[in-house]
Each structure stands twice: as structure tokens, then as C-alpha cells.
């Protein structure tokens, strides 16, 4: 664990961090965490259909619009640093140099925990590729022989945030986070994603449904805590504890 309160989100496309862990970002920002979001691409080809349907649209215009949306959403959530690596999407592919740039980001942030996509996503291979890259770069950041002299990474948990088409993704949450106190911030960030208005209500319903799981797993009818909005996560690594 880092002494500083820091977190790092690795998002394949510019909007993913908003739908899937915007509440976690806003909540931890409100607790004093410096949350960095690394967007590997803007989702300019694959997640910008509404923009491409406008006549005369160009790649540069789409990228600029998506960057602006992501910046507005990041501000609404209290993101400390939005890093746009602009590596292209559909497909997302990272060279060794690109991966080393991401390792540099991880080492600079020294996150207490990390967030990325589900490990399996047959609808969107960019998403599962981003998680594979996140794991690879986390591993390299831990290696004493990589750029010797730099501060190596500890062992931050990697939480996988909830994918789209949840049941098809082999994603099984083991952690529910109550985001009720920051829901208005997440909803404001969601509404910055003007190109994907069709998802606004869907992700509001997801948060309401996950709140039910929070309540059930915090004690249910015999003392469970009330919760109106929540996010679910699947963790990759075991926890080390002194008491159960
Ligand atoms: Zn995406």
C-alpha cells in the first residue's frame, strides 16, 4: 500500500470510466484520494456512433469532441489527472513503447488500488485487451530490473468494474461500493457523454440494482445498511488480513 491516497483507472475508451466506476472515482476523490484516469483511446471509432451519423464527420472532430466530453466528466467526478494516451480504438493495440508509457504512469501514480475492465468481453475486445495490458504493465511496474532506480510498484488490488451485457462477460462481483453520497456527481458525469445518451438511464438502473445487492450483503432484512446507488467490482488478487 502506498502511504499517499491514490488510485488509477485504466479505461480503454474515453467514456468507460464514467459508466463503470464514476461513483468510485467521485467517492474516493471526496475522501482525499488523488484519482488518475488513463484513457487508452477516445473511443473515436467504436463508441462514437452518434457523432459519425452527422454528415461530413472526420476522425479529428470526433476525437476532439470525445476528449472534451471526457474532460468535463473527469471534472464533474473530481479526477486529479486525466491522461489521454490517444492510442486508437477498434482495435486498441499497444506497442512495447506504449506499454512502457503506461508503466511510467503506474509508477508515477503509485496507486493504492487500480480499476479496469472485465477479463472477458466478446462484444468489445478492446475492453478485455485493456485489462490484459493493465495486468502486464502492473507486473512490469513491480519489476526491480525495469528502469532500475525508479520506485517500484507495491501490490495494488486490481478491481474489474462492471461491463456492459454483464451476464455474457464471466464477471462476478465480490465487492459492492455504496456511491449514494456522490450519485449526483456520477449522474452529472454521465450527462457529459452526449454522444451516448442512450446509456444514461441504463446505467442509472444498474446503480439502483447494485444498491439492492449492497443492502442484501450488508445484512439484508436483519440490519442491512440502506443504499440507493452502488457499483459492483470483481477483485483479482487475494486480500492479506490479520483478522476475519
Ligand atoms: Zn469502451
Amino acid at each position: 500500500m502506498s502511504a499517499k491516497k491514490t488510485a488509477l483507472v485504466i479505461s480503454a475508451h474515453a467514456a468507460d470510466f464514467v459508466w463503470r466506476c464514476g461513483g468510485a472515482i467521485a467517492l474516493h476523490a471526496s475522501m482525499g484520494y488523488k484519482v488518475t484516469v488513463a484513457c487508452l483511446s477516445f473511443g473515436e471509432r467504436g463508441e462514437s456512433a452518434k457523432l459519425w451519423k452527422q454528415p461530413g464527420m472526420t476522425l479529428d472532430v470526433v476525437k476532439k469532441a470525445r476528449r472534451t466530453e471526457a474532460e468535463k466528466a473527469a471534472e464533474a467526478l473530481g479526477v486529479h489527472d486525466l491522461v489521454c494516451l490517444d492510442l486508437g480504438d477498434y482495435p486498441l493495440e499497444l506497442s512495447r513503447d506504449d506499454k512502457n508509457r503506461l508503466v511510467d504512469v503506474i509508477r508515477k501514480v503509485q496507486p493504492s488500488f487500480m480499476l479496469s475492465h472485465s477479463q472477458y468481453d466478446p462484444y468489445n475486445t478492446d475492453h478485455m485487451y485493456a485489462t490484459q495490458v493493465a495486468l502486464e504493465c502492473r507486473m512490469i511496474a513491480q519489476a526491480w530490473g525495469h528502469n532500475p532506480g525508479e520506485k517500484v510498484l507495491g501490490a495494488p488490488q486490481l478491481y474489474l468494474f462492471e461491463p456492459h451485457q454483464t451476464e455474457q462477460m464471466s464477471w462476478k462481483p465480490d465487492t459492492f461500493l455504496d456511491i449514494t453520497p456522490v450519485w449526483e456527481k456520477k449522474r452529472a458525469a454521465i450527462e457529459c457523454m452526449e454522444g451516448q445518451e442512450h446509456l444514461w438511464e441504463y446505467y442509472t438502473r444498474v446503480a439502483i440494482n447494485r444498491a439492492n445487492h449492497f443492502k442484501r450483503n450488508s445484512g439484508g432484512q436483519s440490519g442491512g445498511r440502506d443504499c440507493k446507488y452502488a457499483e459492483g467490482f470483481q477483485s483479482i488478487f487475494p486480500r492479506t488480513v490479520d483478522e476475519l
Side-chain angles (χ1 to χ4, degrees), residues 11-17 19-20 41-43 46-47 66 89-90 117 121 124 126-127 161 196:
S11 182
H13 311 109
D16 294 323
F17 70 92
W19 319 112
R20 318 196 181 290
S41 78
F42 295 108
E47 297 185 2
R66 296 290 282 175
D89 71 328
Y90 285 68
H117 297 260
D121 188 340
N124 195 318
D126 284 4
H127 289 168
F161 43 63
Q196 290 168 295

Side-chain angles (χ1 to χ4, degrees), residues 27 178-185 229:
L27 189 72
D178 182 359
I179 60 163
T180 309
V182 294
W183 171 252
E184 293 307 322
K185 288 182 182 175
Y229 300 96

